Amino acid sequence: MKFKQIMIMLLLGASLKASAQLRQNPYRELPLGAIKPQGWLKEMLLRQKDGATGNLDKLYPLVMNHRNGWLGGDGDQWERGPYWIDGLVPLAYILKDKTLIDKVKPWIEWSLKSQTEDGYFGPSKDYPGEPGVQRDNSRDWWPKMVMLKILKQYYAATGDQRVIKLMTNYFKYQLRELPGKPLDHWTFWARYRGGDNLMMVYWLYNITHDQFLLELGDLLHKQTFDFTNAFLNTDMLTRMGSIHTVNLSQGMKEPLIYYQHHPEQKYLDAAKKGFADLRKYNGMAHGLYGGDEALHGNNPTQGSELCTAVEMMFTLESGLEITGDAEYADQLEKIAFNALPTQISDDFMTHQYFQQANQVMLTRQMHNFGDNHGGTDICFGLLTGYPCYASNMHQGWPKFTQNLWYTTADKGIAALVYSASEATAKVAGGVEVTWKEETNYPFEEKIKFTLQSGKKASYPFHLRIPAWCKKAVVKVNGQLQQEAAGNQVIKISREWKPGDVIELSLPMHLFKNKWYENSISIERGPITYALKIGEDFKKVTNVKDPKDYGDYYYEVYPTTPWNYGIYDMSNDKLPEHFRIEATGKVSNYPWNLENAPLQIKTRAKRIPSWKLYNDMAGPLPYSHIYGLETESEEEEITLVPYGCTTLRIAQFPQAGSR
């Protein structure tokens, strides 16, 4: 009896010990700065440096100057300052740019030194209202979540132990205070975005193993909006206006984050069902969904927020690291290679608050959006729409760069998201290696990895095969290694030595997708192709309300027709009727009409009844098999990568079938 009791106690103790730990994720981020972008991605980051990301303090001094509360001033106390630094920190350390690092340091130093004896940190005093500045709710939980993400990245770059001390004391403060002042005590934002807070708690736990952090994690989960239940058991994603879409894009990762401590299948299922329903009821060809600003269905003239793009990318990056599910990387690339580049100007100085999948004219005009901001929402400007996006757009490309490569739970290295780059990591229990990735993906199919340095060592190399790829081909040192179907991560385990080369070929084929009103998108690999429309940019000096929406903005007018329908056909017939052509354009910046490296030619017919409405494409003709009026003559049209366009049709009505 005594022996049985001892065994029961041992088993119970082992069970409790296991439940008190976090699940080991299959992938782990590299230190900030360990991944060096190359090719067009490096050019993108350099344009951020020279554009708004590197100069927002000068461009937006009302909020980003010395008066900001996160620098100890009496100005803006809330999210906008941290939003900017959340993109500036990874940009600075990835580029190893001293000027940008010096610009980041005062924000970091003030935050670290602001902590009070009880553990609180950040602005703590509210001020009377002032136009264009958010000076209240200084103690709100939400802006601290952004700064916690910043401090985590700063630690990943520097190893500064003050970050660990601050977070430990702040999380003790939260554990004491949240029961009486829950996440929605000051504003409702933190209740939907608590997953960001929870992520930082679990990150710290993996460093310190302080058990109180797991208790705090459970409390944060309890106070955060229940996305798991909403996705599994409610119709939230089927109803227009049911949730703010940035809250949704941030909150979708919460079930996956909580899964690390409570590895129950329902959390994985909730995330999968959430993404599937979001696409079904609100999805569009650019990889995002209708939400302007609340959820607004799948009509391709509804807006999609820029904040939604960058926050959804971060959610997908988090989901990939936690689960290793290749679908999250596929969706991440869909947004990064379509929605993100088109919504920010080439010089990274202006942006759109909302983008439209079918976008044929950009003017200052009230539209059928859930929220309108003086009619400026689709114009390109620094402060057009709502100015928080001037602050939050900067995290997209730096964090994308940071998630190209990972180390793995089986002591290897993984390349799961593809772009030209170089990564230095420790594998096989401590061997430092540097791999170089050469490619012009997503425009080309071939990716080459070369081991540049490191001792001989045995470890696995993980590669993702996207779902759209029917059969990938992998060669090692010129010899066929394997052929692999899509929608999986494969491993190549062997002894590696400097000079070894992996060649990954991801054959891209044309395929179509069906959308709102039975419209069609044409896609190849991770890229959606859209109608090439002539674009006339006109700079408008804003004399009406410059303090709200900036001193100027750009309107864009079409110079060529846009109201075309294309023919529906089976996927196997697409190569016969859609001709892929290389344009011969070689540029470090491919994301505009002038430099688009690929185009597709096809035959189409104009639809006379499809006209402008309210300075945008009118109601999309319903595609059916009988009675749609079209012009009698066919025309040849050109499609280009969605991310290269400003004006476009990406979801075409059907002009007939073949």
Side-chain angles (χ1 to χ4, degrees):
M1 185 69 178
K2 185 176 181 181
F3 175 76
K4 287 184 178 180
Q5 288 177 331
I6 292 172
M7 288 301 296
I8 289 170
M9 290 175 67
L10 288 172
L11 288 170
L12 180 61
S15 175
L16 289 172
K17 184 178 180 181
S19 69
Q21 306 303 312
L22 293 184
R23 170 185 175 274
Q24 185 179 31
N25 293 331
Y27 299 110
R28 187 172 183 177
E29 270 191 358
L30 299 181
L32 189 58
I35 301 172
K36 299 177 182 178
Q38 305 292 335
W40 66 258
L41 183 56
K42 182 178 180 180
E43 175 67 17
M44 193 69 78
L45 298 189
L46 290 174
R47 289 182 180 226
Q48 282 197 236
K49 170 193 167 183
D50 294 334
T53 309
N55 296 283
L56 200 61
D57 50 341
K58 302 170 188 173
L59 298 168
Y60 194 18
L62 178 66
V63 168
M64 300 304 177
N65 68 7
H66 64 278
R67 287 188 59 210
N68 191 283
W70 288 94
L71 293 173
D74 66 348
D76 199 283
Q77 308 290 310
W78 212 49
E79 65 182 2
R80 293 181 198 176
Y83 264 160
W84 174 40
I85 306 303
D86 191 30
L88 187 60
V89 164
L91 181 70
Y93 284 100
I94 288 170
L95 293 179
K96 296 181 171 58
D97 187 279
K98 184 179 184 302
T99 300
L100 297 185
I101 291 172
D102 288 346
K103 192 165 288 195
V104 159
K105 280 293 185 67
W107 298 78
I108 300 291
E109 290 297 324
W110 187 88
S111 296
L112 290 171
K113 293 173 182 177
S114 71
Q115 190 159 52
T116 53
E117 193 172 325
D118 62 357
Y120 178 84
F121 83 105
S124 59
K125 182 179 178 182
D126 291 350
Y127 297 90
E130 179 180 325
V133 182
Q134 294 171 305
R135 303 176 82 207
D136 58 350
N137 294 316
S138 60
R139 299 186 73 90
D140 188 14
W141 300 110
W142 156 236
K144 314 298 187 296
M145 298 180 193
V146 187
M147 188 53 72
L148 291 171
K149 290 193 297 177
I150 293 166
L151 292 173
K152 177 247 186 186
Q153 294 178 94
Y154 171 71
Y155 178 86
T158 66
D160 190 331
Q161 290 299 309
R162 293 179 299 165
V163 171
I164 305 304
K165 181 180 178 181
L166 178 140
M167 285 197 183
T168 299
N169 291 333
Y170 177 66
F171 290 146
K172 288 178 179 177
Y173 170 84
Q174 280 199 303
L175 189 60
R176 292 194 308 271
E177 294 293 319
L178 279 170
K181 294 184 177 70
L183 290 179
D184 58 1
H185 177 75
W186 282 280
T187 72
F188 70 92
W189 300 103
R191 178 171 176 255
Y192 287 91
R193 301 175 180 185
D196 286 42
N197 201 147
L198 182 62
M199 175 186 288
M200 296 304 103
V201 169
Y202 287 167
W203 173 80
L204 183 63
Y205 175 83
N206 280 327
I207 296 173
T208 67
H209 301 289
D210 289 333
Q211 290 299 306
F212 85 90
L213 293 169
L214 300 184
E215 182 184 351
L216 174 60
D218 287 344
L219 177 60
L220 287 166
H221 174 73
K222 184 178 180 181
Q223 290 190 4
T224 300
F225 177 81
D226 192 346
F227 286 96
T228 301
N229 178 68
F231 294 155
L232 289 176
N233 302 313
T234 78
D235 64 351
M236 182 180 75
L237 296 182
T238 73
R239 291 184 288 109
M240 292 188 188
S242 60
I243 186 170
H244 186 276
T245 49
V246 180
N247 285 344
L248 178 62
S249 63
Q250 290 185 246
M252 290 191 83
K253 64 179 172 286
E254 200 277 345
L256 298 176
I257 294 168
Y258 193 60
Y259 172 78
Q260 294 173 97
H261 186 209
H262 299 269
E264 301 172 36
Q265 185 64 34
K266 68 177 181 179
Y267 298 116
L268 301 180
D269 292 344
K272 277 298 184 74
K273 186 173 184 296
F275 278 106
D277 285 349
L278 188 59
R279 185 190 186 282
K280 179 178 180 180
Y281 297 105
N282 303 276
M284 296 183 191
H286 48 47
L288 287 169
Y289 47 91
D292 46 33
E293 292 176 356
L295 209 59
H296 203 163
N298 52 11
N299 187 323
T301 56
Q302 295 309 142
S304 291
E305 292 188 57
L306 179 54
C307 261
T308 300
V310 296
E311 292 292 358
M312 184 60 83
M313 287 173 63
F314 184 57
T315 282
L316 292 162
E317 290 154 0
S318 305
L320 177 62
E321 183 181 354
I322 292 167
T323 69
D325 192 322
E327 287 187 21
Y328 293 130
D330 286 0
Q331 188 64 19
L332 169 62
E333 288 188 349
K334 193 72 176 179
I335 297 169
F337 300 149
N338 294 280
L340 185 58
T342 188
Q343 205 160 358
I344 303 173
S345 62
D346 294 355
D347 61 4
F348 224 90
M349 291 292 284
T350 62
H351 66 279
Q352 289 178 293
Y353 190 64
F354 299 140
Q355 68 169 291
Q356 299 166 304
N358 285 357
Q359 180 169 282
V360 299
M361 181 180 287
L362 308 183
T363 60
R364 181 164 186 173
Q365 170 74 35
M366 303 297 281
H367 291 98
N368 187 36
F369 299 148
D371 287 69
N372 279 272
H373 302 91
T376 67
D377 295 284
I378 61 175
C379 298
F380 276 85
L382 180 68
L383 301 179
T384 46
Y386 193 69
C388 65
Y389 288 23
S391 309
N392 196 26
M393 66 180 183
H394 311 281
Q395 65 171 307
W397 290 118
K399 291 183 181 179
F400 178 81
T401 303
Q402 181 63 15
N403 285 275
L404 296 174
W405 295 82
Y406 299 91
T407 52
T408 68
D410 53 10
K411 299 181 180 179
I413 192 168
L416 302 184
V417 180
Y418 298 125
S419 191
S421 57
E422 183 182 292
T424 299
K426 290 185 178 180
V427 297
V431 178
E432 185 172 279
V433 297
T434 298
W435 282 88
K436 184 176 183 179
E437 178 180 353
E438 299 172 271
T439 184
N440 198 30
Y441 186 88
F443 306 106
E444 294 180 2
E445 302 171 338
K446 296 188 181 300
I447 306 171
K448 179 182 177 182
F449 302 92
T450 304
L451 180 55
Q452 292 190 307
S453 64
K455 298 177 182 178
K456 285 184 180 180
S458 296
Y459 54 90
F461 193 114
H462 295 218
L463 289 166
R464 163 182 142 262
I465 312 301
W468 49 258
C469 182
K470 295 178 181 178
K471 185 169 69 175
V473 178
V474 183
K475 295 180 180 179
V476 176
N477 297 331
Q479 301 297 311
L480 179 65
Q481 176 76 21
Q482 71 178 101
E483 296 178 338
N487 197 29
Q488 63 171 319
V489 174
I490 63 170
K491 301 179 187 180
I492 307 169
S493 298
R494 55 173 284 152
E495 183 182 65
W496 301 97
K497 62 183 185 302
D500 282 348
V501 174
I502 303 171
E503 294 172 280
L504 173 62
S505 179
L506 300 172
M508 298 180 183
H509 64 280
L510 288 169
F511 59 95
K512 66 178 183 180
N513 270 311
K514 292 289 186 74
W515 304 94
Y516 178 80
E517 298 287 40
N518 215 22
S519 59
I520 300 171
S521 64
I522 300 298
E523 308 184 34
R524 180 178 179 268
I527 290 180
T528 296
Y529 283 76
L531 178 67
K532 182 179 181 181
I533 300 174
E535 301 169 351
D536 180 21
F537 284 75
K538 294 184 178 180
K539 187 174 182 178
V540 178
T541 300
N542 184 14
V543 297
K544 181 181 179 181
D545 40 22
K547 197 158 191 176
D548 293 325
Y549 304 116
D551 294 331
Y552 69 92
Y553 53 84
Y554 289 94
E555 297 184 332
V556 188
Y557 294 83
T559 62
T560 57
W562 56 265
N563 55 340
Y564 290 97
I566 61 175
Y567 292 98
D568 188 23
M569 62 195 73
S570 59
N571 278 336
D572 62 321
K573 287 185 177 181
L574 290 175
E576 179 184 347
H577 297 280
F578 290 80
R579 187 173 75 253
I580 303 168
E581 298 177 350
T583 64
K585 304 287 181 64
V586 179
S587 171
N588 276 339
Y589 187 83
W591 301 108
N592 55 34
L593 294 184
E594 293 75 24
N595 297 332
L598 294 172
Q599 61 186 20
I600 296 175
K601 297 290 185 65
T602 192
R603 307 297 291 180
K605 286 185 176 182
R606 293 184 65 181
I607 301 172
S609 61
W610 192 19
K611 299 178 181 179
L612 284 174
Y613 166 74
N614 204 20
D615 280 5
M616 61 184 186
L620 188 68
Y622 174 55
S623 296
H624 52 89
I625 61 174
Y626 178 77
L628 177 65
E629 180 191 15
T630 63
E631 296 284 6
S632 58
E633 297 296 322
E634 289 184 347
E635 300 177 44
E636 184 176 73
I637 61 171
T638 300
L639 312 182
V640 294
Y642 184 102
C644 299
T645 66
T646 300
L647 304 181
R648 61 188 160 261
I649 296 294
Q651 295 174 210
F652 292 88
Q654 298 174 27
S657 59
R658 285 184 169 162

